[in-house]
Amino acid sequence: NAGVMQNPRHLVRRRGQEARLRCSPMKGHSHVYWYRQLPEEGLKFMVYLQKENIIDESGMPKERFSAEFPKEGPSILRIQQVVRGDSAAYFCASSDDRGFSNQPQHFGDGTRLSIL
Amino acid sequence: AQSVAQPEDQVNVAEGNPLTVKCTYSVSGNPYLFWYVQYPNRGLQFLLKYITGDNLVKGSYGFEAEFNKSQTSFHLKKPSALVSDSALYFCAVRDPYTGGGNKLTFGTGTQLKVEL
């Protein structure tokens, strides 16, 4: 499967724990985007990364949330000290190397985070 | 700032009848417009896009959409609906030329239900 791979598909954490969500982009893609989908809502942009660089983090909460996309390995969305309000589906998308191109973003199946 | 409105939470249509899912947008510059479909517990699948050129865009699974600049609309259409088209549909906009960057802004989604 050459699509966007996210793991885990489901993640359960207790309040105060850390959550790590992983995303491997499609082969040949070096642009990664993270979105959050709350119940009964559309997707909200969080962060846009290229290899080793954060390009746009205008949608990221100021505290507890961080993202990286290292030179080797998947992109990681990290949520520290999780709270109940962090419960949501987190989607990763990737696009090709043409920067500000008109190519669509391709989405993974998401990680559904539940906070107890 | 860019925004998308999907005025209908749900659209019901009989199989074999034409369907329309409405979308209007607001951007500062020229929009890139996209339609995605989401099935339960899955990620978003790309259906079609409008970047420039012909206002009628054809996409996957027999769907098409018409870009109307004067009405700032990008309605999704299909001449003959199938039960298997039942899913959640999202319209999205990107405005890369006036500060929107590569991020997608999504509408809140329209649940399409096709009945026999």
Side-chain angles (χ1 to χ4, degrees), chain A residues 9 35 99 101 105 108-109, chain B residues 36 38 41-43 94 102 104:
Chain A
R9 290 294 309 277
Y35 294 84
S101 77
Q105 295 174 16
D109 283 340
Chain B
Y36 286 85
Q38 185 180 32
N41 298 314
R42 300 298 302 276
R94 190 160 89 208
N102 271 11
L104 289 172

Side-chain angles (χ1 to χ4, degrees), chain A residues 13 16 25 37 55 74 83 98 103 112:
Chain A
R13 285 287 178 266
Q37 184 178 33
I55 307 301
V83 301
R98 284 176 277 180
Q103 295 306 305
R112 279 143 186 89

